[in-house]
């Protein structure tokens, strides 16, 4: 076998431009919330458990397990494209930290915020209280990034420190926001204990909460796939400071020290006469202290509520395609053109590039998108990837390019032996 690395012979095959603009959709298209993979949420809980185990058995304020928990969550968010900030405060003589994560985009004057506390009590690892809420909103935040969700509202997530010392972190955050910034937060949803081992399905009651909370309550009730009960969580968790500031609040809760009634056991299963969470604030609040079904339902409900409340994603613009076949001979360059017209201004920051290539070894291919002015955007380099066809969509930040004009897909075959063809490609504005 000859090595798959030889100089590039330049054979340019230009396809005739055939463009088929499909009509722009006039109405915003409501995107469905994705399913939140339970296994991913559980994997985050395993991390919290491992962090506690490695740090004296807890993730409490002022202890190393807290900071390690924050570093873990922050790293995942940073890698997904969030803008994260760590806010410091002092409580009981120790430094505490809140983690705030903003998803770029959306209306900055209309912020939808989700949060939960990240600290445990010092008695145990706090996997249900509140690894569960922390993991649930983390996975929903990662799903937002995976889906490339660009809703009308700005999305923000918060992981609070020192909740167990009387809501210190969330209170510090709200009270230190400049008034103008505080008024931009139009809703706050709290998730504190969503995987209780003998679970109930409670939605925070809007009664006595700021105007606007009822819509949040109703959205969360509709988001859960099981019958719910309302609960008056009062000032027992991190929504309290937001409510005091007049911000509409809501939340989900699967129960703590209170005993499940027989009526509730009939409705939800589980054991009557036993606490929703027997291990509440105890050393046994480990990964064994989680009901997977409750964790799954609540994580899905968080995503469902977020997608419902965040406002439909941006309206897709027109789509253009060229479906003329262009051969990709060995060690050559093939090009196919699309002429765009009637699109005002620049191309979007998330220009969708659809590619449909038949090939016997796609690792041979280097692919660039050329803008009308000739600027090139590399979407794929060559590799040892021995798969064959390439049918995929790339996202290109083409926001500095004028949309109208002739765009080219340039496909270079840089290694001998394997060949193929461009079946077609498309640009989604
Ligand atoms: N605030 C919770 C704790 O961390 O102990 C318990 C709780 C959560 C109680 C939500 C009521 C509602
Ligand atoms: Zn809690
Ligand atoms: Ca080849």
């Amino acid at each position: 076998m000859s090595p798959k690395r030889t100089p590039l012979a330049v054979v340019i095959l230009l396809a005739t431009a055939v463009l088929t603009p499909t009509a722009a959709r006039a109405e915003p298209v409501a995107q469905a919330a994705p399913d939140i993979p339970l296994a991913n949420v559980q994997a985050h809980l395993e991390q919290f458990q491992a962090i506690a185990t490695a740090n004296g058995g807890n993730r409490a304020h002022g202890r190393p397990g807290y900071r390690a928990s924050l570093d873990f969550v922050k790293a995942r968010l940073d890698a997904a494209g969030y803008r994260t900030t760590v806010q410091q405060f002092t409580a009981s003589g120790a430094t505490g930290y809140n983690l705030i994560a903003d998803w770029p985009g959306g209306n900055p004057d209309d912020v939808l915020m989700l949060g939960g506390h990240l600290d445990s009590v010092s008695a145990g690892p706090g996997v249900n209280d509140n690894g569960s809420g922390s993991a649930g909103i983390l996975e929903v935040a990662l799903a937002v990034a995976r889906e490339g969700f660009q809703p009308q509202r700005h999305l923000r997530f918060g992981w609070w420190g020192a909740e167990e010392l009387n809501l210190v972190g969330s209170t510090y955050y709200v009270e230190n926001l400049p008034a103008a910034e505080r008024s931009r937060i139009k809703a706050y949803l709290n998730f504190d204990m969503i995987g209780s081992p003998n679970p109930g399905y409670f939605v925070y009651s809007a009664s006595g909460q700021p105007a606007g909370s009822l819509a949040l309550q109703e959205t969360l009730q509709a988001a859960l796939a099981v019958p719910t009960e309302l609960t008056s969580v009062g000032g027992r968790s991190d929504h309290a400071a937001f409510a005091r500031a007049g911000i509409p609040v809501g939340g989900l809760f699967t129960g703590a020290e209170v005993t499940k009634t027989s009526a509730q056991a009939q409705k939800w299963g589980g054991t009557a006469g036993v606490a929703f969470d027997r291990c509440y604030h105890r050393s046994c609040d480990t990964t064994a202290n989680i009901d997977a079904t409750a964790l799954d339902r609540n994580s899905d409900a968080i995503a469902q509520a977020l997608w419902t409340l965040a406002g439909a994603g941006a309206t897709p613009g027109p789509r253009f395609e060229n479906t003329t076949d262009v051969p990709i001979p060995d060690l050559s360059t093939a090009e196919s053109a699309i002429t765009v017209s009637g699109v005002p201004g620049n191309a979007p920051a998330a220009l969708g590039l659809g590619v449909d290539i038949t090939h016997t070894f796609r690792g041979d291919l280097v692919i660039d998108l050329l803008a009308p002015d000739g600027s090139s955007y590399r979407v794929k380099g060559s590799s040892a990837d021995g798969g064959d066809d390439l049918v995929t969509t790339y996202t290109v930040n083409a926001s500095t390019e004028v949309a109208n004009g002739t765009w080219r897909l340039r496909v270079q075959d840089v290694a001998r032996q394997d060949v193929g063809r461009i079946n077609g490609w498309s640009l989604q504005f």
Side-chain angles (χ1 to χ4, degrees):
M1 280 266 274
S2 55
K4 293 195 71 82
R5 258 182 218 289
T6 39
L8 166 66
V10 181
V11 179
I12 297 189
L13 291 142
L14 271 171
T16 350
V18 177
L19 73 99
T20 319
T22 55
R25 271 174 276 181
E27 295 298 315
V29 181
Q31 286 171 252
D35 178 71
I36 299 302
L38 172 64
N40 293 9
V41 185
Q42 289 172 318
H44 304 326
L45 293 183
E46 297 287 350
Q47 291 289 329
F48 291 138
Q49 176 69 65
I51 286 168
T53 302
N55 288 283
N58 68 65
R59 303 181 301 105
H61 168 72
R63 310 289 183 87
Y66 180 73
R67 184 63 212 219
S69 298
L70 185 140
D71 291 342
F72 158 67
V73 175
K74 182 176 183 299
R76 297 298 308 269
L77 294 164
D78 287 339
Y82 279 82
R83 309 236 162 93
T84 59
T85 52
V86 177
Q87 180 182 44
Q88 283 195 24
F89 57 89
T90 303
S92 302
T95 302
Y97 309 92
N98 293 323
L99 173 64
I100 309 298
D102 283 277
W103 181 236
N107 182 352
D109 293 323
D110 187 4
V111 178
L112 170 63
M113 186 164 191
L114 283 71
H117 73 90
L118 185 56
D119 63 316
S120 71
V121 291
S122 54
V127 173
N128 186 35
D129 183 14
N130 183 34
S132 62
S134 295
I137 61 172
L138 171 59
E139 190 55 30
V140 170
L142 297 177
V144 164
R146 279 196 296 271
E147 300 278 316
F149 190 32
Q150 284 300 331
Q152 284 156 8
R153 303 176 90 175
H154 178 77
L155 302 178
R156 181 177 298 156
F157 296 84
W159 284 262
W160 311 118
E163 188 267 358
E164 301 289 5
L165 273 61
N166 199 20
L167 317 175
V168 178
S170 56
T171 304
Y172 184 89
Y173 173 76
V174 173
E175 292 186 352
N176 286 282
L177 275 177
E181 192 55 41
R182 203 181 304 153
S183 67
R184 294 190 172 104
I185 304 177
K186 304 301 189 204
Y188 173 75
L189 299 180
N190 194 62
F191 302 97
D192 184 358
M193 306 177 73
I194 61 166
S196 303
N198 186 30
Y201 293 90
F202 298 101
V203 174
Y204 292 13
S205 169
S207 157
Q209 303 290 11
S213 300
L214 186 59
L216 303 179
Q217 175 201 305
E218 289 173 349
T219 300
L220 288 164
Q221 287 172 304
L224 266 169
V226 278
T228 58
E229 288 184 17
L230 294 178
T231 182
S232 300
V233 288
R236 280 192 66 181
S237 193
D238 295 298
H239 60 289
F242 290 86
R244 269 199 308 281
I247 297 167
V249 296
L252 296 176
F253 178 47
T254 51
E257 75 286 1
V258 170
T259 299
K260 185 181 269 187
T261 67
S262 49
Q264 289 170 328
Q266 298 228 322
K267 177 164 50 181
W268 293 323
T271 314
V274 170
F276 294 107
D277 183 356
R278 268 190 287 200
C279 289
Y280 175 61
H281 285 185
R282 296 173 58 197
S283 60
C284 58
D285 186 8
T286 64
T287 45
N289 190 46
I290 290 288
D291 182 84
T293 302
L295 185 68
D296 191 22
R297 286 174 174 160
N298 278 278
S299 301
D300 288 342
I302 297 170
Q304 181 63 51
L306 182 150
W307 255 260
T308 302
L309 293 169
T315 311
R319 184 174 178 278
F320 298 82
E321 65 182 8
N322 182 342
T323 54
T324 308
D325 286 8
V326 180
I328 309 167
D330 219 11
L331 302 171
S332 66
T333 295
E335 285 192 3
S336 177
I338 288 176
T339 299
V340 170
S341 61
V343 181
N346 280 8
L351 177 65
L353 168 60
V355 171
D356 180 348
I357 291 172
T358 297
H359 204 271
T360 52
F361 192 99
R362 64 184 173 221
D364 288 7
L365 302 177
V366 175
I367 304 180
D368 298 286
L369 175 67
L370 305 191
D373 71 354
S375 316
S376 71
Y377 296 83
R378 176 136 310 171
V379 296
K380 181 193 176 303
S382 62
S383 68
D385 175 5
D388 50 18
D389 300 342
L390 186 64
V391 181
T392 192
T393 304
Y394 300 102
T395 302
V396 178
N397 183 348
S399 59
T400 62
E401 304 297 337
V402 172
N404 288 337
T406 299
W407 296 72
R408 289 191 159 76
L409 183 73
R410 175 176 290 168
V411 180
Q412 302 175 65
D413 182 303
V414 299
R416 68 169 68 237
Q417 185 176 338
D418 291 282
V419 297
R421 69 170 180 277
I422 304 171
N423 297 308
W425 67 291
S426 65
L427 288 173
Q428 174 69 60
F429 283 82

